[in-house]
Amino acid sequence: MSSTAAARPAGRRRAAIWITLGVIVAVVILFFVFAGLYADILWYDQLGYLNVLTTQWLAGLAMFFIGFLGMALPLWLCIQLAYRLRPVYAKLNSQLDRYQQVIEPLRRLAMYGIPIVFGIFAGVSAASRWQTAALWLNGTSYGKSDPLFHLDIGFYLFDLPFLRSLVGFASAVVLISLLATLATCYLYGSIRVSGREVRISRAARVQISVVAGLYLLLQGVSIWLDRYATVTDSNVNDMINGASYTDVNATIPGRAILAGAAIFVAILFFLTAFIGRWRFPIVGTALLVVAALVVGAIVPWVVQRFQVDPSQKTLESPYVQKGIDYTREAYGLSDIETIPYNAKTTAEQGALRQDAQTTAQIRILDPAVVSPSFRQLQQFRQYYAFPEKLNVDRYNLDGTQQDAVVAVRELQQSGLSGARNWFNDTIVYTHGYGLVAAYGNKRSTDGQPVFLESGIPTSGTLGSYQPRIYFGEQSPTYSIVGGPKGSKPVELDYPGGSEGAQQTYTTFNGNGGPKLDNIFKRLVYALKFQDEQIVLSDAVNNNSQILYDRDPIKRVEKVAPYLTLDSQAYPAVVDGRVKWIVDGYTTSDQFPYSHVGSLSDATADKDTPKPAYAFDDINYIRNSVKATVDAYDGSVTLYAWDTTDPVLKTWQKIFPSTVKPVSDMSAQLMSHVRYPSDLFKVQRSVLGQYHVTDAGSFYSREDAWTTPNDPTSPSSNPALQPPYYLTLKMPGQKEPTFSLYSTFIPQGTSESSRSVLKGYLSVDADAGDQKGKVASGYGKLRLLQLPSGDSIPGPGQMQNQFDSDPTVSQQLNLLRQGKSEVINGNLLTLPVGGGLLYVQPVYVRSSGETSYPLLQKVLVAFGDKIEFEDTLDQALDALFGGDSGASAGDNNVPSTGTGSGGTGGQSGGETSGGGTGGSSSANNAALQDALQRARQALSDSQAALKSGDWTAYGAAQQRLQQAISDAVAAEGQPAAK
């Protein structure tokens, strides 16, 4: 007896211990969850967008409870009614008796647990669709109707998706409730099966017939709504989206009939609740199934097979025309200007005289190639970095707009090597420094970029601005910055002094992140980043701020979750700050009669890997928002760019006061806004088919185009040629403008059919330079359409001609001496001189460890004529009979600057080089002299060959061989100091 009594307290103690441990674990888990939520609150609140977070939370929470109650209450009510209205004295068979004996102890738990479990799943599903509900509640009129039902397009964008989701959810609730009702009724004897006889109690009959009637009623509504969905479905052999002849004349009427039939059968079920006869609803249901097969499938097949297919082009043409018109509307292509362009193929002397402003701005600096040059000349320290692909922008210099290749010098902590520890990574090395910009149309004598802004501290032509880059594409996961006023700075600002022996330090004094002004916040972030040093380190004080989520695209994505963002943010000096500019799009896949395409497929090319989007298939897109992210304090500003976009208007109702009007944009910001490349890629992808505006021609696909593959991409893995930013003047323009362009070739399978140029698409990408006012020409699309009989070579064919030209090949082999690598830059196409001019910079990179690409030659072509010279200006003159009539931007090639060692700035606005670790071959005087003699000897050889002077040809060849030998010997010599 005593042992039993002793065991009871021990058992209670063990139970108490387990309960205590369970409570502790639950508290820890809840605190981790709370820490994450509280950190989000601090982040959004500091940025000024707390209402964005709370709106999402409240909307998701409201939808969860609506979904939970919408599922749990009907299901609980059906189970309760089926149980409470069971026949009390029903005689059950032995098997059901055993089931009841097993279930009865768990009955109360099941009656509440089953609805709760299903309710949780329904609530989570509903919460994930809060955006659909919010768009429905705040939907805005589009102002244009669809051509079939004559409903405002806003109905398809905002109302129809929600209504179909609502009906689908309600159908699921009713169906699950019906199954639960049947199971409960059978288990408790309301439904009894005896042989072939099924007996249903009166209460069960009423409940089952009402629930079944509700389900069929919902199916009738669903089928009715499906009629409207035909205007967004794919049809006509997947040629267009929208209702076709068969849909209009068979499918839509058939769905109307089926909707009416479903409602009629639902009424029969409701009547059964009173009259007690199951024959009518059962027969009605069977007839409904037959009608669905006949009216919903067989009749449309008969119409398509025997009426449409024999005369498909004639019957479908009106619907194809609707597809063309509404696709161009949805993708912003309605106002595109198509210009017939009879391109000349003969390079005549002085042909570029009318295009002098364009040729002066031809960009010979390839932003996808020169990143190593920026690194070697402007990186200065291993803990700085530039992106692999730089950006193209423009600046107003002395009243002239200058195209530039730009990048920011970001922090790269991986370059610290052995100096890495928590203190250095988090407290000391916190930011990058400065923006570097090079003239797009200039090069030095040895092929280096000519910088208009460079050095540390920054120096150049862009004036004074805040150069510190705390927020960028390569910023650390988090940094802790700031300190008490007057305290000693500990953040490394930049290396200085002779050869960087001295270091300059700074203290962040902006408002860039949540403050760590109490122990609780430090504990929250220690949990978030799994780092106890945030709590323990004495470097963290009450004035510290924690900076995280520092990528500009990610920051905009968090404050504007409804936007699809451009794949590339680009930096610009705006109003004394470095700001990242990000383009945001509103998209949909519910625009009537509009072509549905893959956004990721359209935007992927040689310079852009295929991105991943949450919603990839779209048939409507607008560049609705321009966003900026301050590189110093991370502040995000959204501007409503497309004020006519109904999707943006709707989201502005959901998130009020988060988007500013265009009128708030400064003049400097306007001067750097450009037409976004991803939108342009989507539009060119659509135009490959939809440049044809005649339904008959479109149906025949007799003039389909595609974007050519980039000729410099590997043949084993070809990628589309990216569009290029250039300053150019299109036919119909009075002055050159900063533009974005791409080309088209015929769509086909054989290489020969894909080589000829068919179209040239350009858009005015310059938004102007007036405060709050968009330039009138911005966004104007122009399509040059070449005559079908012309054979202007496309980029691939032109690259092949460059590579196979004997003179070019010989000179390229010369450049490859000493294991040097020849790199073909971007192949540009310009509509100048009445024809199409091809320009390609050619870079040479030596085999040294610290080498970088040097722009050594320029390839040009016009028609069938090719020239290969040291500068673009020389190449154009040679191409156009000795005088092109215009000068290129590199006609006065500057000499290589001496720089300032490793850390100082450059004196003056135009500098070249000035870094540490340039190419050895660039500074090897003997090698450069040998190469120059080789070029001259090669030129003399060609001249002698043309004139038939074999004596002079032999002498030139001997000089060429000697120069090559001297170049090979000089390759191994040390660089000149």
Side-chain angles (χ1 to χ4, degrees), residues 941-962:
S941 297
Q942 295 298 322
L945 190 61
K946 291 179 180 179
S947 63
D949 189 344
W950 298 106
T951 302
Y953 177 78
Q957 284 292 304
Q958 289 181 355
R959 295 200 310 274
L960 176 60
Q961 292 177 5
Q962 183 61 46

Side-chain angles (χ1 to χ4, degrees), residues 146-184:
D146 77 279
L148 183 59
F149 296 104
H150 307 293
L151 297 172
D152 186 88
I153 290 174
F155 169 79
Y156 299 95
L157 296 177
F158 311 120
D159 298 342
L160 186 59
F162 173 77
L163 294 175
R164 297 183 77 187
S165 295
L166 179 63
V167 172
F169 178 82
S171 297
V173 171
V174 173
L175 181 60
I176 293 172
S177 299
L178 178 59
L179 295 175
T181 299
L182 292 171
T184 306

Side-chain angles (χ1 to χ4, degrees), residues 396-437:
N396 193 301
L397 306 179
D398 300 325
T400 301
Q401 185 169 279
Q402 174 64 54
D403 290 4
V405 175
V406 301
V408 292
R409 188 185 291 106
E410 291 202 57
L411 178 67
Q412 181 178 260
Q413 290 184 343
S414 60
L416 291 172
S417 189
R420 298 202 66 176
N421 54 57
W422 183 87
F423 187 83
N424 282 342
D425 285 358
T426 308
I427 306 297
V428 178
Y429 294 92
T430 59
H431 61 279
Y433 194 95
L435 180 140
V436 177

Side-chain angles (χ1 to χ4, degrees), residues 11-351:
R12 292 193 187 101
R13 285 195 297 270
R14 284 195 296 270
I17 292 172
W18 282 111
I19 292 173
T20 303
L21 289 175
V23 170
I24 292 173
V25 170
V27 169
V28 170
I29 292 174
L30 288 174
F31 187 75
F32 269 92
V33 173
F34 169 78
L37 298 178
Y38 186 57
D40 286 341
I41 291 174
L42 293 175
W43 189 90
Y44 277 92
D45 186 45
Q46 181 276 324
L47 205 55
Y49 289 89
L50 183 59
N51 65 319
V52 173
L53 180 65
T54 56
T55 297
Q56 293 180 81
W57 282 1
L58 291 174
L61 195 62
M63 288 297 294
F64 175 84
F65 280 111
I66 290 173
F68 177 83
L69 295 175
M71 174 64 78
L73 284 180
L75 184 55
W76 174 83
L77 182 61
C78 286
I79 294 174
Q80 287 290 327
L81 286 175
Y83 174 74
R84 293 184 181 278
L85 297 177
R86 71 192 185 283
V88 179
Y89 301 105
K91 185 178 180 181
L92 305 178
N93 58 45
S94 58
Q95 187 174 8
L96 285 178
D97 280 338
R98 287 195 297 271
Y99 287 159
Q100 283 192 11
Q101 291 174 6
V102 173
I103 294 173
E104 190 61 28
L106 303 173
R107 177 179 54 79
R108 187 177 297 274
L109 177 63
M111 284 186 171
Y112 290 95
I114 291 174
I116 288 173
V117 170
F118 276 95
I120 290 174
F121 281 108
V124 171
S125 176
S128 67
R129 290 176 170 82
W130 72 267
Q131 292 185 337
T132 303
L135 289 172
W136 170 70
L137 288 170
N138 299 277
T140 305
S141 171
Y142 187 88
K144 184 176 180 178
S145 301
D146 77 279
L148 183 59
F149 296 104
H150 307 293
L151 297 172
D152 186 88
I153 290 174
F155 169 79
Y156 299 95
L157 296 177
F158 311 120
D159 298 342
L160 186 59
F162 173 77
L163 294 175
R164 297 183 77 187
S165 295
L166 179 63
V167 172
F169 178 82
S171 297
V173 171
V174 173
L175 181 60
I176 293 172
S177 299
L178 178 59
L179 295 175
T181 299
L182 292 171
T184 306
C185 289
Y186 177 74
L187 186 62
Y188 288 96
S190 297
I191 300 176
R192 286 175 289 173
V193 179
S194 178
R196 299 179 61 183
E197 183 182 7
V198 178
R199 293 183 180 182
I200 304 176
S201 68
R202 184 177 182 278
R205 183 194 71 219
V206 172
Q207 183 175 345
I208 293 170
S209 59
V210 169
V211 176
L214 286 174
Y215 180 75
L216 284 167
L217 187 64
L218 288 170
Q219 296 314 296
V221 175
S222 178
I223 295 170
W224 183 262
L225 292 176
D226 288 343
R227 297 165 60 252
Y228 302 111
T230 55
V231 299
T232 59
D233 290 341
S234 178
N235 271 301
V236 192
N237 298 324
D238 295 329
M239 182 175 293
I240 64 165
N241 270 42
S244 64
Y245 180 91
T246 301
D247 290 323
V248 173
N249 293 279
T251 304
I252 293 175
R255 287 177 178 175
I257 294 171
L258 288 175
I263 294 172
F264 178 74
V265 176
I267 294 173
L268 292 179
F269 272 100
F270 293 144
L271 290 175
T272 300
F274 300 99
I275 65 176
R277 293 181 177 273
W278 289 99
R279 180 181 303 173
F280 297 118
I282 292 175
V283 171
T285 302
L287 292 175
L288 181 61
V289 173
V290 174
L293 291 173
V294 174
V295 179
I298 295 176
V299 171
W301 179 83
V302 170
V303 171
Q304 180 69 34
R305 182 69 177 87
F306 297 102
Q307 187 175 358
V308 176
D309 288 351
S311 306
Q312 190 170 34
K313 185 174 182 179
T314 302
L315 294 178
E316 299 289 13
S317 287
Y319 306 102
V320 172
Q321 190 63 55
K322 293 174 185 177
I324 295 171
D325 296 340
Y326 278 78
T327 295
R328 290 168 70 96
E329 166 74 20
Y331 287 96
L333 299 170
S334 296
D335 298 327
I336 187 171
E337 181 182 359
T338 302
I339 305 170
Y341 192 63
N342 295 312
K344 297 180 180 179
T345 57
T346 303
E348 300 175 351
Q349 193 174 48

Side-chain angles (χ1 to χ4, degrees), residues 141 396 441 540 716 973 977:
S141 171
N396 193 301
N441 61 342
V540 182
S716 59
Q973 295 180 12
K977 301 293 184 182

Side-chain angles (χ1 to χ4, degrees), residues 296 317 375 390 483 610 615 876 947:
S317 287
R375 285 197 294 269
L390 310 185
K610 187 174 181 178
F615 301 98
L876 292 179
S947 63

Side-chain angles (χ1 to χ4, degrees), residues 919-930:
S919 168
S920 60
S921 62
N923 299 317
N924 190 326
L927 175 60
Q928 293 300 313
D929 177 69

Side-chain angles (χ1 to χ4, degrees), residues 853-934:
L854 295 171
L855 178 54
Q856 295 293 339
K857 306 285 281 186
V858 179
L859 276 163
V860 294
F862 192 94
D864 295 328
K865 191 174 181 182
I866 296 173
E867 292 295 340
F868 191 39
E869 299 293 342
D870 293 342
T871 68
L872 176 60
D873 195 59
Q874 295 172 0
L876 292 179
D877 282 339
L879 188 65
F880 291 95
D883 180 16
S884 67
S887 296
D890 66 343
N891 59 342
N892 293 316
V893 178
S895 60
T896 304
T898 58
S900 57
T903 57
Q906 307 297 335
S907 60
E910 276 191 25
T911 62
S912 172
T916 62
S919 168
S920 60
S921 62
N923 299 317
N924 190 326
L927 175 60
Q928 293 300 313
D929 177 69
L931 290 174
Q932 183 60 41
R933 287 189 283 113

